[in-house]
Amino acid sequence: MSETVAARTAFDLIPKATGPQAAKDFKSDQEVRWCPGCGDYAILAAMQGFLPELGLARENICFVSGIGCSSRFPYYLNTYGMHSIHGRAPAIATGLAASRPDLSVWVVTGDGDALSIGGNHLIHALRRNVNLKILLFNNRIYGLTKGQYSPTSEVGKLTKSTPMGSVDYPFNPLSLAIGAEASFVARTIDSDRKHLTSVLRAAAEHEGSAFVEIYQNCNIFNDGAFDVLKDPESRDEALIRLEHGSPITLGKDGQWAVVRTGWGLGVAETASVDPADIVVHDETVEDASYAFALSRLPGLDLRNTPIGVLRNVKRPTYDSIVREQLETAATSAPKEEELARLLNSGDTWTIL
Amino acid sequence: MSETVAARTAFDLIPKATGPQAAKDFKSDQEVRWCPGCGDYAILAAMQGFLPELGLARENICFVSGIGCSSRFPYYLNTYGMHSIHGRAPAIATGLAASRPDLSVWVVTGDGDALSIGGNHLIHALRRNVNLKILLFNNRIYGLTKGQYSPTSEVGKLTKSTPMGSVDYPFNPLSLAIGAEASFVARTIDSDRKHLTSVLRAAAEHEGSAFVEIYQNCNIFNDGAFDVLKDPESRDEALIRLEHGSPITLGKDGQWAVVRTGWGLGVAETASVDPADIVVHDETVEDASYAFALSRLPGLDLRNTPIGVLRNVKRPTYDSIVREQLETAATSAPKEEELARLLNSGDTWTIL
Amino acid sequence: MSDVSSPEAKPIRQLDHVVIRFAGDSGDGMQLTGDRFTSETAQLGNDLSTLPNFPAEIRAPAGTLPGVSSFQLHFADHDILTPGDAPDVLVAMNPAALKANVGDLPGGATVIVNVDEFNKRAMAKVGYATSPFEDDSLSGFTVHQVPLTSMTVESLAEYEVPKRDAVRAKNMFALGLISWLYSRPVESTIAFIERKFAARPEIATANVAAIKAGWAYGETTEGFAVRYEVKPATLPAGNYRNITGNTALAYGIVAAGVRSELPVFLGAYPITPASDILHELSRHKKFGVTTFQAEDEIAAVGAAIGASYGGALGVTSTSGPGVALKSEAISLAVALELPLVVVDVQRAGPSTGLPTKTEQADLNIALFGRHGEAPVAVVAASSPSDCFHAALEACRIAVQYRTPVILLSDGYLANGSEPWKLPEIDELPDLRVAFADGPNHTLDNGEEVFWPYKRDPQTLARPWAVPGTAGLEHRIGGLEKRDGTGDISYDPANHDLMVRTRAARIEAIEVPDLEVEDPTGDARVLALGWGSTYGPIGAACRKLRAAGQSIAQAHLRHLSPMPANLGKVLASYDKVIVPEMNLGQLSTVLRARFLVDVIGYQQVRGLPFTSTELESVFEEVVKNV
Amino acid sequence: MSDVSSPEAKPIRQLDHVVIRFAGDSGDGMQLTGDRFTSETAQLGNDLSTLPNFPAEIRAPAGTLPGVSSFQLHFADHDILTPGDAPDVLVAMNPAALKANVGDLPGGATVIVNVDEFNKRAMAKVGYATSPFEDDSLSGFTVHQVPLTSMTVESLAEYEVPKRDAVRAKNMFALGLISWLYSRPVESTIAFIERKFAARPEIATANVAAIKAGWAYGETTEGFAVRYEVKPATLPAGNYRNITGNTALAYGIVAAGVRSELPVFLGAYPITPASDILHELSRHKKFGVTTFQAEDEIAAVGAAIGASYGGALGVTSTSGPGVALKSEAISLAVALELPLVVVDVQRAGPSTGLPTKTEQADLNIALFGRHGEAPVAVVAASSPSDCFHAALEACRIAVQYRTPVILLSDGYLANGSEPWKLPEIDELPDLRVAFADGPNHTLDNGEEVFWPYKRDPQTLARPWAVPGTAGLEHRIGGLEKRDGTGDISYDPANHDLMVRTRAARIEAIEVPDLEVEDPTGDARVLALGWGSTYGPIGAACRKLRAAGQSIAQAHLRHLSPMPANLGKVLASYDKVIVPEMNLGQLSTVLRARFLVDVIGYQQVRGLPFTSTELESVFEEVVKNV
Ligand SMILES: Cc1ncc(C[n+]2csc(CCOP(=O)(O)OP(=O)(O)O)c2C)c(N)n1
Ligand SMILES: Cc1ncc(C[n+]2csc(CCOP(=O)(O)OP(=O)(O)O)c2C)c(N)n1
Ligand code: SF4
Ligand code: SF4
Ligand SMILES: [Mg+2]
Ligand SMILES: [Mg+2]
């Protein structure tokens, strides 16, 4: 929209830490209370390990969450934090981020919190491109309420509320986010700390809304939901690791490759295709059709699941334009004087 | 999901009209109260003209709307109708459609009603594929509340609530619907009655959620928003008329054609491309990437706007599976007996 | 009306007050006409009060009853309180306008009709089988049949304006005529027109010419034999402007931002009749006011909470349906103990109800409309200009006590207007509060720590510790928390303590005592109200007193907490009568709290009370005491 | 406890009632243990009442205080009303369980601890610096240190079960021991285990062996010198089962579907403690019950309204935060005048509050939580099994009067259980209503038409005209409508009429008179309650009476409308005491309505009242009357 915006990086306006930071600086004094074995622990550890790397003043980082197991996250980080109400974190964070450019604002949410009750706030935050980093812990189940199916659960899922199998066709969170004009869309997985950290880094650096889906195991109510992506036996065949600028392949020794098929993308045997036909990943493609096509690769069985950054394009952020408008409107006159002028505007008269 | 579902058509379960019907049979006794010149009149006329063609018993048709100028629609149709509350029509209609397979249920909504306050219900109805026909009258403005910008208004729009221009990047309603797993997605325009009718027909015939965006002129608060698509001077160059099975071209004598470009679709001079490269429209392509790419064709200036059915694929409907489960569970025993059995289930004991 | 003849060409009669109603089709520009006449009247120094009334439709079909739009103005040579019970003069631009309004006219009223529009078709459309001028349906009134349309078109013949624009200028002709009739200067309106149509000078010229032609018509026609004059009112000295409730409320919020030195953040979703607050505030970015048009009411209040958390004055404005949707989030703000102002411009319910009509039936939801024990402060405005002060007061409570405050206005206040004596900025309350900036608690081991829920012993408010403050990092949320530390706590005794503390926090808010107006000092009946009934109750009391009866009046600005002396006030009258535009919501609260058998009087018609109606109700009570 | 020795190998003492609490880690299976012991006890014919208590976390870290889960059971040889104020016996599976619960024990209580878990680390984790067995912190109790874990593992040595599974069976060992101690038969539990683990027979075998080993341990160890017996209660003859409030409520809705011959449609979004209603109802598709897990609470109620409109019995179940979100849609249902049942299983608030704890602080939002005047019926359940009847009653009012009904339960009722005498199906109320099927009005011109808002003169209900009925096509909505025709109407007088009619509709609902229990007939004090306080209030009254005092008890099922005789009842006592788990919400309503100075007594601790507490409160009132 303007020079100023383009020139800014995600951190320009945020105060920096004055000294070195370590993971332990980001641990709060609250006892962590997820079930033993829950994937949330790994994500927390990765976050605590990653935050020092950001180098921001700790007090200028704020985590806002909704309700759910995942939404307990802010309690365990020694930053500012708000554990709000179910589904509303993106809205609350929008108010915070839009009025405080000096903060790094993160939203932590679950598949129920973000996609069920909070779906509307999520898609609106994404289209607005508010400067928020939204982490959706997708365990494909409602954990906190003890195991009902969620909007990402597979059709036919047997849960307490669906004894004959769930009926609703699931969302593909990345497709939804891309359809909602998201400027940054990525996916990662609780079990791969290095990858998780790399995606957090990319999200943090993105100026605007960053949407990150994190596959997270709920070992109590949906254990093994992502095993096909974790199991050393199957994962190489199932996971597609996206790297900006590299041809997209998967499988042992890149046995499979992503190529155009039909009107979208598909997977073919590398040996059988012209190397020039292998898609070279470019997260900056403006046309959202590319990232969308990538998001459609996985089947319902999770085979061919891309992880990494699918889309990362520049678009003016909501908060930066709002700030610009405020700056444009600002005057140097004392506010008191301006107020007197305002009240006296229009037709006035004097009674003596 | 099953034989039964596949065999059904959209009307199988709905009683048919016993005699011939005419447009006037669908006019209610209420005075129509839109502003003179409003695009809603044309849509109403088209609907009243179209409904007799459906041949359904009038009493088995029901229109549910939210709040907005557009949502007054049900009052003017002599069918059953509910003018509900802002944004909630898809949810209310879901309850109705899921419990009444013998009804043809239509949702009428506006860009504010459907995409702002009602965004979540809309995307959930679409992913569930509830048997609803959802007509979104998009005038890119809030009409009823007198002219604030809406989620489809272009950036920088000057309205009462945005004296320095709106900041929010708009939704592309079709992209959003496709991202939300819609099985039927179409677009049409108030001024072209024939096209409008053809799209209504296709929507009515689709079994499941049909999402139809109708460009509608609000001559009071956003006059001329779609002039580029209506003006005889510009419309041929701007409108892309999709026809299933035909190559996609536009412009005078098909001067322009839709071809692959980059990772999506684009428009090129027909003369300059190999005819075999011209995309032949197929609304039934399973991979949503195709319809999504089509939805991205228009620029923010509305040039290259496809109208017609972008996507039309078969997927089991929510309500049909729900019905199947009910049928599977049903017993022939009298309900009273079953109830006695239920109450007496578990550990019981007798006190004499 | 008092009559005083004057010896001019056309005699001028002195009146002490006039109620005039302009009525026409939605497209006839009646609101603008009314606004301009109001402004002229204000300039003259009359006291005044206005009541616009528009249809729910944007543009209902022309010439229909539902399409009628009207604007009523009451002006007087003395201080008045309401827009008038019934018009002395009706200006009716078409048959629909006559039909829709004639029923409100008292005998002897003057009716000025645009006779050009009374053709067969137009009359039939609204059910006039015969012309109302030909039967005796208007026999009790002084009727002036003025060919407004044709005379306007004629008077513009010399200008090159398209017919359509000429026809549209007929409201200005009418304004010119009425201005002449009531001796109002039209200069300011002419200036206004020239400003407004600066980009289209031909339209400006035509409208100005129409005004002048209307004025000239008054001077020359024989139809109008007398002119009237209403002398300036003797209002307190000062600078005045005319102001609507919504504008005043928005200004109050701007002022609160200035006086608290906090950025204002408004999260809002458009809804009638609150949208204008969003519109107005979006124009004041120079004050650091951010307006966020949210995707829905929940996001609107959510964003306001987020902004408050970040150190802004978080405000959200809506009407009843929006308040219902915000309930859960307001409850969160109760738990978070953060400042939040929720503006509810009430309209007639339930559900969508009558969106353009007024009502005061949201007191219940304001006081009781949240799950759990979730007390908030509730403040109500009593007149259009009072919306400014009520908004300041709501903001004062919110920031000082770190609590959600619901500010009740209504459709009548929102769109109605009255002269407002402009306050001196430095006399406005000082709303500055300090953010927390360091530890506030010493542990037993001597360590200095920050406790986010350690309270100020007097206000019971917790510290406002905004992100970005080093050393104060903490987590808050909607789960129950230990008093002091703010840590999540499932301890039963702590929960009981917190529930009671949240209630005590609201009761601890300092609010001024209720003032009672009882000029004779011997009243045995108290008329008690809240909100927009202030005008009609006051006017009724005045009438009663003028008729020699005694009655006391008091009006509640604070509904939660209530003034400390309220119980005593109630106990000191034999009877307390409480008029409300609902089914007795305040009555219920008073009865429960003070066990006083207050007499409720209710009408729920989407319209303000008339003072006449209340006068007779009060008289009945006074007589029977 | 009464002691009666018996002459067996181990003497058996007769007790008239016992309160036992099982407590352990979330993973220790305490809820299952409690359930099974309850079932055995029920089979024996004791009266009983249970109170489970689980942590808010799914699995809080093992061995911590927040991770303790417990189950309390009160059983007796006579009719009882509560799960007991304080446990006579505590079974503590680890140090955390002991620490978390020991404070609730009265002097002389028995404590059975799994001593195997009392190692240094585990004790330190919960703050036991020294072993509680070594200091005198347990000196007032009879402590049995039982090595539950190791004995269980030992007893399973001969089976091929992995160590982990053997350790997990320790709850069954404990159950066997306690069953022996209180002379409960374990056969039904053994059968249950075999059914439950049919697919994993080795686990079944291990668990059964553990039960038997526990029983054998009791018989052989010298630690337990006496056994106890509690004779069957003399309850009314009939078939009984034990039932929780949520199950009973779900059954009540199924029954309402059967008795109204309407399909049931439940729209729900999961929320503690209401989710089990959704779970239960989703299992009863054979009754034509459709359950729709919606995207949020608004969609849930919206879908229920849509289904009701289509002729189903529309129900939505939730807890407080969900009710807040549903407010706007409930208001729509008020305007539409359609049947709707909104189940609110109350939990401790405000905001997220204490989701697993009980409270009754949603009476306000039920009665007053909508914008505009939007009255609904409100019904409350008073005990777990009463949830069945309350649900039927709510459905009766909804379908018969075409109105939203809010049905209040709470966390205590939801999860607590008691024996339930099964009703005869054909004695359940007949809930059938007729849909409209033709014109209901004759116009002046003789034409027969259908008027969707023409009312039944007695119930004031409008016709239920469902889509699909030829000739009855009509449009309804949230805008104000003309009484009779249902057409949109902006007429002030009609709005006033409709507002009053909607209020009158609720008041016109026929509800039974309030019954008062006053065995001595001379009580001057009335204890009046609503909802889940029935048990403790009743138990306290009994105690007081047993001590020779007179007190009357009455309990409100209907909060809106209230029973017609309520005012008279209140007036006939010198003092009325109203205990509530809120800050006095019913008290406020009673005071406002009847101007009676009721005495409120409130505790808001997330826990039910104890009868002892209420007894002393009542005693105080009775003494001072
Ligand atoms: C308004 C409201 N509705 C419902 C709930 C109950 N609730 C809490 S968390 C949750 C869903 C949790 O699922 P998800 O977001 O996937 O988080 P997870 O626990 O799986 O991490 C629900 C339904 C609530 N707290 N508030
Ligand atoms: C809960 C609630 N919030 C806000 C409103 C006010 N409102 C009514 S219609 C509308 C938006 C209308 O815009 P749109 O859906 O685009 O319909 P249009 O009038 O343009 O056809 C709004 C904000 C309302 N009626 N209810
Ligand atoms: S229930 Fe699942 S998601 Fe929640 S804490 Fe336990 S393992 Fe994690
Ligand atoms: S405001 Fe616009 S959308 Fe509404 S009726 Fe008028 S022209 Fe149509
Ligand atoms: Mg989840
Ligand atoms: Mg619109």
Side-chain angles (χ1 to χ4, degrees), chain C residues 439-452:
Chain C
N440 62 352
H441 186 79
T442 312
L443 295 181
D444 287 348
N445 67 8
E447 199 188 332
E448 299 276 302
V449 295
F450 176 68
W451 274 15

PDB file of all heavy atoms in Angstrom, chain C residues 439-452:
ATOM      1  N   PRO C 439       6.413  -4.307  40.805  1.00  0.00           N
ATOM      2  CA  PRO C 439       5.853  -5.247  41.786  1.00  0.00           C
ATOM      3  C   PRO C 439       4.876  -4.537  42.705  1.00  0.00           C
ATOM      4  O   PRO C 439       5.016  -3.340  42.973  1.00  0.00           O
ATOM      5  CB  PRO C 439       7.079  -5.729  42.565  1.00  0.00           C
ATOM      6  CG  PRO C 439       8.244  -5.447  41.687  1.00  0.00           C
ATOM      7  CD  PRO C 439       7.876  -4.257  40.852  1.00  0.00           C
ATOM      8  N   ASN C 440       3.898  -5.265  43.189  1.00  0.00           N
ATOM      9  CA  ASN C 440       2.914  -4.656  44.082  1.00  0.00           C
ATOM     10  C   ASN C 440       2.697  -5.487  45.330  1.00  0.00           C
ATOM     11  O   ASN C 440       1.771  -5.268  46.082  1.00  0.00           O
ATOM     12  CB  ASN C 440       1.582  -4.461  43.344  1.00  0.00           C
ATOM     13  CG  ASN C 440       0.983  -5.780  42.874  1.00  0.00           C
ATOM     14  OD1 ASN C 440       1.629  -6.827  42.962  1.00  0.00           O
ATOM     15  ND2 ASN C 440      -0.248  -5.731  42.387  1.00  0.00           N
ATOM     16  N   HIS C 441       3.561  -6.491  45.496  1.00  0.00           N
ATOM     17  CA  HIS C 441       3.342  -7.382  46.630  1.00  0.00           C
ATOM     18  C   HIS C 441       4.676  -7.929  47.126  1.00  0.00           C
ATOM     19  O   HIS C 441       5.579  -8.215  46.338  1.00  0.00           O
ATOM     20  CB  HIS C 441       2.431  -8.535  46.207  1.00  0.00           C
ATOM     21  CG  HIS C 441       2.033  -9.413  47.352  1.00  0.00           C
ATOM     22  ND1 HIS C 441       1.040  -9.064  48.237  1.00  0.00           N
ATOM     23  CD2 HIS C 441       2.514 -10.599  47.761  1.00  0.00           C
ATOM     24  CE1 HIS C 441       0.923 -10.015  49.146  1.00  0.00           C
ATOM     25  NE2 HIS C 441       1.807 -10.960  48.867  1.00  0.00           N
ATOM     26  N   THR C 442       4.756  -8.066  48.422  1.00  0.00           N
ATOM     27  CA  THR C 442       5.957  -8.646  49.012  1.00  0.00           C
ATOM     28  C   THR C 442       5.619 -10.005  49.591  1.00  0.00           C
ATOM     29  O   THR C 442       4.716 -10.130  50.422  1.00  0.00           O
ATOM     30  CB  THR C 442       6.494  -7.743  50.145  1.00  0.00           C
ATOM     31  OG1 THR C 442       6.531  -6.403  49.646  1.00  0.00           O
ATOM     32  CG2 THR C 442       7.881  -8.177  50.571  1.00  0.00           C
ATOM     33  N   LEU C 443       6.304 -11.011  49.103  1.00  0.00           N
ATOM     34  CA  LEU C 443       6.062 -12.355  49.634  1.00  0.00           C
ATOM     35  C   LEU C 443       6.619 -12.473  51.047  1.00  0.00           C
ATOM     36  O   LEU C 443       7.407 -11.641  51.485  1.00  0.00           O
ATOM     37  CB  LEU C 443       6.745 -13.399  48.735  1.00  0.00           C
ATOM     38  CG  LEU C 443       6.207 -13.531  47.312  1.00  0.00           C
ATOM     39  CD1 LEU C 443       6.973 -14.610  46.560  1.00  0.00           C
ATOM     40  CD2 LEU C 443       4.716 -13.884  47.355  1.00  0.00           C
ATOM     41  N   ASP C 444       6.204 -13.529  51.731  1.00  0.00           N
ATOM     42  CA  ASP C 444       6.693 -13.745  53.094  1.00  0.00           C
ATOM     43  C   ASP C 444       8.219 -13.782  53.134  1.00  0.00           C
ATOM     44  O   ASP C 444       8.839 -13.350  54.101  1.00  0.00           O
ATOM     45  CB  ASP C 444       6.137 -15.075  53.632  1.00  0.00           C
ATOM     46  CG  ASP C 444       4.655 -14.949  53.948  1.00  0.00           C
ATOM     47  OD1 ASP C 444       4.153 -13.795  53.962  1.00  0.00           O
ATOM     48  OD2 ASP C 444       3.990 -15.979  54.158  1.00  0.00           O
ATOM     49  N   ASN C 445       8.802 -14.299  52.057  1.00  0.00           N
ATOM     50  CA  ASN C 445      10.271 -14.381  52.042  1.00  0.00           C
ATOM     51  C   ASN C 445      10.924 -13.072  51.621  1.00  0.00           C
ATOM     52  O   ASN C 445      12.112 -13.024  51.343  1.00  0.00           O
ATOM     53  CB  ASN C 445      10.714 -15.530  51.130  1.00  0.00           C
ATOM     54  CG  ASN C 445      10.365 -15.241  49.670  1.00  0.00           C
ATOM     55  OD1 ASN C 445       9.934 -14.145  49.328  1.00  0.00           O
ATOM     56  ND2 ASN C 445      10.566 -16.234  48.823  1.00  0.00           N
ATOM     57  N   GLY C 446      10.120 -12.034  51.538  1.00  0.00           N
ATOM     58  CA  GLY C 446      10.698 -10.730  51.212  1.00  0.00           C
ATOM     59  C   GLY C 446      10.775 -10.419  49.737  1.00  0.00           C
ATOM     60  O   GLY C 446      11.048  -9.287  49.342  1.00  0.00           O
ATOM     61  N   GLU C 447      10.505 -11.413  48.907  1.00  0.00           N
ATOM     62  CA  GLU C 447      10.588 -11.179  47.468  1.00  0.00           C
ATOM     63  C   GLU C 447       9.482 -10.237  47.014  1.00  0.00           C
ATOM     64  O   GLU C 447       8.341 -10.345  47.455  1.00  0.00           O
ATOM     65  CB  GLU C 447      10.463 -12.526  46.738  1.00  0.00           C
ATOM     66  CG  GLU C 447      10.975 -12.495  45.303  1.00  0.00           C
ATOM     67  CD  GLU C 447      10.636 -13.811  44.587  1.00  0.00           C
ATOM     68  OE1 GLU C 447      10.528 -14.862  45.264  1.00  0.00           O
ATOM     69  OE2 GLU C 447      10.445 -13.772  43.360  1.00  0.00           O
ATOM     70  N   GLU C 448       9.872  -9.318  46.126  1.00  0.00           N
ATOM     71  CA  GLU C 448       8.894  -8.386  45.564  1.00  0.00           C
ATOM     72  C   GLU C 448       8.312  -8.993  44.298  1.00  0.00           C
ATOM     73  O   GLU C 448       9.063  -9.347  43.382  1.00  0.00           O
ATOM     74  CB  GLU C 448       9.572  -7.067  45.186  1.00  0.00           C
ATOM     75  CG  GLU C 448      10.215  -6.336  46.339  1.00  0.00           C
ATOM     76  CD  GLU C 448       9.186  -5.497  47.074  1.00  0.00           C
ATOM     77  OE1 GLU C 448       8.549  -4.632  46.439  1.00  0.00           O
ATOM     78  OE2 GLU C 448       8.979  -5.748  48.291  1.00  0.00           O
ATOM     79  N   VAL C 449       7.027  -9.125  44.219  1.00  0.00           N
ATOM     80  CA  VAL C 449       6.418  -9.761  43.046  1.00  0.00           C
ATOM     81  C   VAL C 449       5.251  -8.918  42.544  1.00  0.00           C
ATOM     82  O   VAL C 449       4.781  -8.004  43.228  1.00  0.00           O
ATOM     83  CB  VAL C 449       5.903 -11.181  43.384  1.00  0.00           C
ATOM     84  CG1 VAL C 449       7.043 -12.107  43.731  1.00  0.00           C
ATOM     85  CG2 VAL C 449       4.865 -11.116  44.505  1.00  0.00           C
ATOM     86  N   PHE C 450       4.808  -9.291  41.359  1.00  0.00           N
ATOM     87  CA  PHE C 450       3.605  -8.638  40.818  1.00  0.00           C
ATOM     88  C   PHE C 450       2.430  -9.601  40.894  1.00  0.00           C
ATOM     89  O   PHE C 450       2.501 -10.705  40.377  1.00  0.00           O
ATOM     90  CB  PHE C 450       3.830  -8.200  39.367  1.00  0.00           C
ATOM     91  CG  PHE C 450       2.585  -7.608  38.768  1.00  0.00           C
ATOM     92  CD1 PHE C 450       2.094  -6.392  39.234  1.00  0.00           C
ATOM     93  CD2 PHE C 450       1.886  -8.277  37.778  1.00  0.00           C
ATOM     94  CE1 PHE C 450       0.925  -5.848  38.717  1.00  0.00           C
ATOM     95  CE2 PHE C 450       0.714  -7.733  37.243  1.00  0.00           C
ATOM     96  CZ  PHE C 450       0.236  -6.520  37.724  1.00  0.00           C
ATOM     97  N   TRP C 451       1.385  -9.161  41.546  1.00  0.00           N
ATOM     98  CA  TRP C 451       0.175  -9.962  41.654  1.00  0.00           C
ATOM     99  C   TRP C 451      -0.929  -9.286  40.839  1.00  0.00           C
ATOM    100  O   TRP C 451      -1.443  -8.225  41.212  1.00  0.00           O
ATOM    101  CB  TRP C 451      -0.276 -10.073  43.112  1.00  0.00           C
ATOM    102  CG  TRP C 451       0.385 -11.187  43.862  1.00  0.00           C
ATOM    103  CD1 TRP C 451       1.500 -11.885  43.505  1.00  0.00           C
ATOM    104  CD2 TRP C 451      -0.043 -11.729  45.131  1.00  0.00           C
ATOM    105  NE1 TRP C 451       1.801 -12.827  44.454  1.00  0.00           N
ATOM    106  CE2 TRP C 451       0.871 -12.759  45.463  1.00  0.00           C
ATOM    107  CE3 TRP C 451      -1.094 -11.449  46.006  1.00  0.00           C
ATOM    108  CZ2 TRP C 451       0.760 -13.506  46.636  1.00  0.00           C
ATOM    109  CZ3 TRP C 451      -1.211 -12.183  47.171  1.00  0.00           C
ATOM    110  CH2 TRP C 451      -0.296 -13.213  47.484  1.00  0.00           C
ATOM    111  N   PRO C 452      -1.314  -9.925  39.738  1.00  0.00           N
ATOM    112  CA  PRO C 452      -2.295  -9.239  38.873  1.00  0.00           C
ATOM    113  C   PRO C 452      -3.683  -9.071  39.488  1.00  0.00           C
ATOM    114  O   PRO C 452      -4.456  -8.248  39.022  1.00  0.00           O
ATOM    115  CB  PRO C 452      -2.345 -10.123  37.623  1.00  0.00           C
ATOM    116  CG  PRO C 452      -1.735 -11.423  38.013  1.00  0.00           C
ATOM    117  CD  PRO C 452      -0.812 -11.166  39.150  1.00  0.00           C
TER     118      PRO C 452
END
